[in-house]
Amino acid sequence: MRRTPFRLLGRLSAAAVAALVLTGLLTPSAKPPGTGSTVPAAASESTATIFYYTKTKNWSAYRLHYAPDGGSWTAVPGVAMEAACTDWVKLTVSLGSASGLAATFNNGSGVWDNNAGNNYDLGTGTITVKDGVVAHSDPCADPGTEPEPGEAHTASVYYSTATVGWTTTNLHYQPAGGAWTTVPGVGMEAACTGWVKKSVDLGTATSMLATFNNGNGVWDNNGGSNYTVPDGLSTVKGGRVTADAEDPCEAAAPDTQAPSAPTKVAASADGVSVVLTWEPSTDDRGVTKYQVTRTGGTKGTVVTDIGSTVFSDTGLEAKTAYSYTVKAVDAAGNVSASSAAATATTGEKPTAPASGKPLGTDPRKDPIYFVLTARFNDGDTTNNRGGSQHTKSGNAANDDPMFRGDFKGLVDKLDYIKGLGMSAIWITPVVLNRSDYDYHGYHGYDFYEVDSRLESAGASYQDLIDAAHAKGMKIYQDVVYNHSSRWGAKGLFTPTVYGVRDAQWSWYYDEKNEGFEYDGLTVETKSGKSYYNGDLWSTAEPSGNTCVNWGTPTGATSPEGYRIYNCQWPNPTSGMFPKAYYHKCWIGNWEGEDSRSCWLHEDLADFNTESAPVQNYLIGAYDKYIDMGVDGFRVDTAVHIPRTTWNRRFLPAIQERVTQQFGAEAAKNFFVFGEVAAFVNDKWNRGSVNHSAQFYTWKERKEYSADDEKAALEMYDYEQQQGTGSQPTSANAFLNGNAYHTPDHSKFSGMNVIDMRMHMNFGDAGNAYNNGKDSDDSYNDATYNVVYVDSHDYGPNKSSERYAGGTDAWAENMSLMWTFRGIPTLYYGSEIEFQAGKKIDCGPSCPLATTGRAYYGAHLAGDVKASGFGTVESATGAVADTLSKPLVKHVQRLNQIRRAVPALQMGQYSTVGISGSMAYKRRYTDAASGTDSFALVTVTGSATYTGIPNGTYKDAVTGDTQVVTGGTLAVPAPGKGNLRVYVLDLGGRNAAPGKIGTAGPYLK
């Protein structure tokens, strides 16, 4: 929680692509096995011959603008390049004593390729630059050895790039009895989707030794043994040479053969919906979509084109048989001649979810989408409010009131969120706020009333909850137990302030109107403007006043030069707040005891949460929202309330109310996750256990005083003395070998937490992963940790800006979050890198449109309909463009995969017996349902798994199948942002799903 810092009138370069080090693919330390020198031949010791690929540019001229290392840049636009061979130009550069150069390319007329602003870093020798990829080879060289007359042999080699993901592929070879080519060999050319090819004249030889590489030091040399390739046409795929093979690209031609049909089509009915799944076509013929045909019922035949291997058919008739066929369609429009079929019979039409009833399922199944309701989407302009800071903030100039989005706007775009694949929505606090800049909801005034600036006719808070539930989506309400607005809490205590209405202050202190009551929305007719504090104001000193020096000048002035009076604004040391309801001090030490018993900020009056009247007030308020059917609470500023108070009062009250209203199972799955903010990289927050996130997941270990205030001090002292080394530990997140074990939640407090340590380290996915693992034994159960990269408060490393690590880094972060333990959470707009690098919050000192809390609705304009979680049936307008973004495609497929593999949702994990930088195994077993799910995951890099169960494993990303017989599986590196999820096929309901969804920009 970071509040608006407002005091009224005085308040990669792009990241480098990770090396793909594959199983059996070695980066040679001195030379590839059996080959000659690895040093490429250069024009001279101090020259570089640079080849630039032209086909994707189509410029009329090409110039190289460069600077030798340590030297000066050429004059703009640089030196003209000359034609080299088809699709290539070149230039030889003299470097003197330099060992490389920085380079950019342009057309001589102002159009540049500067590697996305990072320039190209080139070495010496023969260098190619193709579509942003730097390699070392001569694309114009003739690789052949002159054959002797009458004895010519040719080897035509096709190499599969589907598993390596290279954008440049070189063939390094040695004809039998001949010499090796110069490293890295000769460039191979694109053949068809997933294949490159090269024809080699072998002379009198009938075979050759061969290795393959990406020109940047990553090799496939058949596990160190090289490949033996005979003359004729051969394919090399998955470490295997197939001699006398059929041309793998022949079938791709539209005039030869259509793609094959998909396989293993299965249909399952649930109520009046059918979910259809299938495995992709078995060939490599450029399939881009699938044609699904449905027959049955009275609706007639429906044909739908879909880009994934999952189709959700909803709104059908009850108790009706439906038949489906699926055909594959390639890029040329060819449709498979045959089709796969499946049939399903719908059941009873389900009743709509009861109003005011939580969905009650395991929260780990539901990825979370976090929105600032007032900044997400505007469904009703009549409830928009700018507040007293509308002009000063610059929002007025942008026609962008702070209260703009609302529940109607959120209801209107539930299908957008569902289309992303997110099934839980965390919304900012809904209670009536009272502040001059309170759109975020953390300045609560009436905790029993929903803020009317969020509601509309037909779109109340209850309507939002019910609408989300009808789509199978949960609502997590942000709740604040620690503080109210500076103006107090209606129904508990509201202070009287000194509000002289002289010429200076009449604009701020509304004229008193005895018949008016503040509601945040209604305009008071007497003054003609919205009330903020007029109903609290008194010029005359009230009877029983406790504020010191009531109404006398302080000697200070506002930034505008206005005289400031004592008791003009509430604060903890003024005497305006009674100790029975509020604390009376400022925090001095953020890791000290006072951080739990003093004010955070002058806009946040700190409740005395150890006081029974305050406890009863808050418990009663939040009972109301439990009764409305919310699915959980995100607890703001949880660290600023003693653990004893949570464990004695608030957490049991939540459980009791949910149990009373909805039963024990609903209470078990009512998700409470606390913000225990720790902005350091330590396992324990600066050594203070009382201020560390994991501390709040545990029950108390001993009895304390019956008085809550004394108990808080006793607990604080006891746990500090125990220290970090004597805190409880848990194995609930970890596998026992390869086996899942029933977790022990007997010591669980009832509060889960946001994973602050991963959040702080998410500048790099690998760093977040390693820090997360290091802390997991100290949580009661880390599989419930809420994991995010950035939020409405901070980016990684306590950055004040929204994450700006780049698209590749975002994709890698998401791949980790969606497959590692914990619940992945996405801050609104991150799926399109919305406001990347922008300051998250600057209060009213700058327009919201320039911050990380900008209005998102412009990106959602138009219509969208989701056919399922992670699948969109239709979209028009701006929202269709939003849904086409690469990270949207990425998160959609991640959600499809996670939803299909229970181990990724609820599984324990282990890294024992596993090599790899971000690699782990996960398993979830539930005897009651018969579920058993075991998965091997590697993110970005290669991995080797030893000691795993034998059997058949299928990758959910590519569909690749591996049979393990010796307890070991080696997985090649999928590349930055990509991953592999090999699922053990256990048959029946636990069969491995195979490939899920279709290849995208990262999962491929």
Side-chain angles (χ1 to χ4, degrees), residues 340-408:
T343 301
T345 300
T346 55
E348 295 283 357
K349 184 175 182 179
T351 58
S355 177
K357 184 178 181 180
L359 296 183
T361 54
D362 193 311
R364 294 173 296 178
K365 294 181 178 181
D366 301 300
I368 300 170
Y369 193 73
F370 172 35
V371 301
L372 270 71
T373 310
R375 307 303 301 156
F376 184 64
N377 187 54
D378 189 4
D380 178 6
T381 59
T382 65
N383 59 13
N384 292 359
R385 290 294 182 273
S388 67
Q389 305 301 304
H390 189 47
T391 301
K392 177 182 177 181
S393 64
N395 291 336
N398 294 321
D399 192 21
D400 182 28
M402 61 172 181
F403 264 99
R404 186 171 179 183
D406 44 42
F407 293 146
K408 187 177 189 306

Side-chain angles (χ1 to χ4, degrees), residues 366-373 376 410 413-414 416-418 420-428 473-476 673 786-787 802 814 818 823-832 834 856 859-860 882 888 891 895:
D366 301 300
I368 300 170
Y369 193 73
F370 172 35
V371 301
L372 270 71
T373 310
F376 184 64
L410 190 49
K413 299 305 175 184
L414 287 175
Y416 169 77
I417 299 172
K418 185 171 184 175
L420 294 178
M422 317 299 282
S423 50
I425 306 172
W426 158 16
I427 60 172
T428 39
M473 303 166 74
K474 296 179 178 179
I475 295 293
Y476 295 150
F673 58 106
V786 170
V787 181
R802 287 192 74 156
M814 290 178 178
W818 261 257
I823 302 170
T825 300
L826 199 64
Y827 183 37
Y828 81 98
S830 290
E831 64 272 22
I832 62 169
F834 180 61
Y856 193 56
H859 297 277
L860 303 175
T882 299
V888 170
V891 78
N895 274 317

Side-chain angles (χ1 to χ4, degrees), residues 33 124 180 193 207 232 244 283 303 427 506 545 587 607 649 664 813 845 863 898 924:
T124 59
W180 284 90
T193 301
S207 66
D244 296 325
D283 55 15
V303 178
I427 60 172
S506 59
N545 169 53
I587 289 179
F607 282 132
R649 310 300 175 197
N813 289 344
S845 65
D863 296 318
R898 189 178 189 272
Y924 176 73

Side-chain angles (χ1 to χ4, degrees), residues 333-618:
N334 297 307
V335 182
S336 57
S338 60
S339 61
T343 301
T345 300
T346 55
E348 295 283 357
K349 184 175 182 179
T351 58
S355 177
K357 184 178 181 180
L359 296 183
T361 54
D362 193 311
R364 294 173 296 178
K365 294 181 178 181
D366 301 300
I368 300 170
Y369 193 73
F370 172 35
V371 301
L372 270 71
T373 310
R375 307 303 301 156
F376 184 64
N377 187 54
D378 189 4
D380 178 6
T381 59
T382 65
N383 59 13
N384 292 359
R385 290 294 182 273
S388 67
Q389 305 301 304
H390 189 47
T391 301
K392 177 182 177 181
S393 64
N395 291 336
N398 294 321
D399 192 21
D400 182 28
M402 61 172 181
F403 264 99
R404 186 171 179 183
D406 44 42
F407 293 146
K408 187 177 189 306
L410 190 49
V411 169
D412 289 346
K413 299 305 175 184
L414 287 175
D415 269 30
Y416 169 77
I417 299 172
K418 185 171 184 175
L420 294 178
M422 317 299 282
S423 50
I425 306 172
W426 158 16
I427 60 172
T428 39
V430 304
V431 304
L432 176 62
N433 267 227
R434 190 181 190 121
S435 166
D436 292 273
Y437 219 55
D438 55 2
Y439 62 94
H440 42 58
Y442 298 100
H443 295 151
Y445 174 67
D446 189 344
F447 285 69
Y448 286 77
E449 184 71 23
V450 176
D451 200 308
S452 55
R453 290 167 289 188
L454 299 174
E455 295 192 301
S456 308
S460 67
Y461 187 32
Q462 188 68 68
D463 293 327
L464 168 64
I465 295 168
D466 294 346
H469 286 174
K471 293 181 181 293
M473 303 166 74
K474 296 179 178 179
I475 295 293
Y476 295 150
Q477 178 179 330
D478 207 324
V479 294
V480 185
Y481 286 79
N482 177 63
H483 58 264
S484 70
S485 74
R486 72 187 312 157
W487 309 108
K490 181 183 176 183
L492 180 70
F493 177 80
T494 55
T496 301
V497 300
Y498 183 77
V500 60
R501 296 188 76 252
D502 57 17
Q504 301 174 97
W505 292 110
S506 59
W507 66 274
Y508 180 76
Y509 286 104
D510 298 336
E511 186 177 352
K512 187 74 171 176
N513 185 338
E514 297 294 345
F516 182 80
E517 187 172 349
Y518 171 81
D519 65 6
L521 181 69
T522 305
V523 175
E524 190 276 321
T525 55
K526 188 173 183 180
S527 63
K529 58 186 177 181
S530 295
Y531 255 43
Y532 276 90
N533 49 50
D535 56 329
L536 302 175
W537 161 74
S538 174
T539 299
E541 183 173 1
S543 61
N545 169 53
T546 57
C547 185
V548 179
N549 298 319
W550 176 269
T552 61
T554 64
T557 58
S558 72
E560 296 85 353
Y562 300 166
R563 179 183 297 111
I564 296 176
Y565 301 91
N566 282 304
C567 311
Q568 193 166 4
W569 294 294
N571 70 69
T573 59
S574 64
M576 299 173 77
F577 290 91
K579 185 179 185 299
Y581 304 119
Y582 286 91
H583 290 134
K584 300 169 73 68
C585 54
W586 294 105
I587 289 179
N589 178 5
W590 288 87
E591 276 75 43
E593 195 284 325
D594 57 334
S595 75
R596 303 174 310 142
S597 57
C598 295
W599 286 38
L600 298 166
H601 189 273
E602 56 193 353
D603 264 352
L604 310 175
D606 199 80
F607 282 132
N608 180 359
T609 50
E610 288 64 67
S611 163
V614 173
Q615 293 169 357
N616 294 334
Y617 175 84
L618 293 170

